[in-house]
Amino acid sequence: PAPEPYEDAEVSAPPPPSEPDVVAASTAAGSDTKTPSVTPFAPPPSAQLDYEVHVEYRGIPQSFKGTLAWQHDGERYRLHMAIGMAFLGTRVQLSEGRLGAHGLHPLRFSEKTRSERAAHFDEAGGRIRYSANSPDAPLLPGHQDRLSVFFQLAGLVHARPERFATGQSIHIPTSGVRDSETWTFEVKGMETIALPQGEMAALHLRRLPRKEFDTTVDLWLAPDMGHLPVRMRITQANGDVADQRLITP
């Protein structure tokens, strides 16, 4: 599962004080050539990931299975996540777009449970257009959707892990299927986490709450797997939790 959206800003990873700022997005939507000092992007290898999904909803624990297919050929990418939930049916998220030197450029993002809604990233027009008839949003440098954002982070960290030290923040404009805001992730540092197949070292990032009673999103990226996401946890303000842990290495 992926959380909700946030506020417009460019992607940045603050470096040590002795170095200049590092920008992880192009200066114009759809452009990969105009930013003079850009954090390189190295996409994780294509993979089919299976997860155990543990949900605690109103104090009732439930378990599901989830799959995430990540494919790219160096020019285009496709992300497909499906989670089967007994009380809602299968929830599907799909992100498709192109790869640039500075990261992922989504072209279309959709979510579907009973019905499908989508966001269309219009690079020529510089807008994000929504099928739900919500107002358009401006398409900003480095803009991601609620699924691609995790792989944008993975590619940035995989390219230059030394730039993402504990305490630093990463700001990424992120769109859902109705609106767009900026997500701010804080680097929490390397941790050893327990997965169904055993323990694994992973870099922990946390999306900071944007307002009172907001959702917290935690993400763990494994260096031994090209910084693919091996755990994702969403914690609601009321205590409900959805925790995805990788089954297959």
Side-chain angles (χ1 to χ4, degrees):
E4 313 102 347
Y6 201 40
E7 183 182 39
D8 300 334
E10 65 181 12
V11 182
S12 63
S18 60
E19 301 182 22
D21 287 344
V22 178
V23 180
S26 57
T27 57
S31 169
D32 286 308
T33 60
K34 296 183 179 180
T35 304
S37 177
V38 177
T39 301
F41 179 85
S46 296
Q48 172 86 20
L49 304 172
D50 295 325
Y51 295 91
E52 283 186 354
V53 184
H54 296 287
V55 174
E56 185 153 331
Y57 177 68
R58 297 181 179 178
I60 302 172
Q62 302 177 65
S63 295
F64 311 107
K65 298 294 183 184
T67 61
L68 198 163
W70 157 245
Q71 299 170 306
H72 73 87
D73 60 7
E75 295 182 358
R76 308 279 296 189
Y77 81 86
R78 186 177 190 271
L79 272 164
H80 180 274
M81 177 178 278
I83 297 176
M85 297 180 287
F87 50 89
L88 284 176
T90 299
R91 182 187 184 192
V92 176
Q93 292 182 313
L94 176 64
S95 175
E96 297 178 295
R98 63 184 185 87
L99 283 171
H102 314 129
L104 304 182
H105 296 266
L107 297 176
R108 185 180 187 274
F109 170 64
S110 64
E111 290 185 339
K112 182 178 180 180
T113 47
R114 296 184 178 89
S115 61
E116 183 179 75
R117 289 182 290 270
H120 300 270
F121 292 69
D122 177 3
E123 293 186 332
R127 311 293 295 173
I128 302 175
R129 309 187 189 280
Y130 301 105
S131 66
N133 293 322
S134 299
D136 292 354
L139 180 59
L140 301 173
H143 225 127
Q144 301 300 317
D145 59 55
R146 287 169 32 173
L147 186 56
S148 70
V149 63
F150 300 119
F151 283 77
Q152 177 73 2
L153 286 166
L156 293 174
V157 174
H158 191 47
R160 298 288 296 275
E162 72 279 2
R163 288 296 181 105
F164 298 89
T166 301
Q168 292 186 339
S169 296
I170 309 161
H171 313 281
I172 303 184
T174 303
S175 179
V177 293
R178 290 190 179 90
D179 57 7
S180 178
E181 298 178 301
T182 296
W183 289 5
T184 297
F185 289 85
E186 181 180 62
V187 181
K188 306 299 287 185
M190 290 296 297
E191 298 176 1
T192 299
I193 60 173
L195 300 173
Q197 76 270 21
E199 293 187 339
M200 181 175 288
L203 181 67
H204 182 190
L205 299 100
R206 173 173 292 164
R207 193 200 73 175
L208 303 175
R210 301 152 294 175
K211 54 186 179 293
E212 192 176 10
F213 307 119
D214 195 16
T215 300
T216 299
V217 181
D218 291 280
L219 173 69
W220 286 264
L221 305 173
D224 289 347
M225 295 184 61
H227 289 95
L228 286 166
V230 294
R231 184 183 180 190
M232 292 175 278
R233 183 179 67 202
I234 299 171
T235 306
Q236 305 285 348
N238 65 1
D240 291 348
V241 176
D243 194 352
Q244 294 181 214
R245 296 174 187 254
L246 184 71
I247 300 172
T248 54

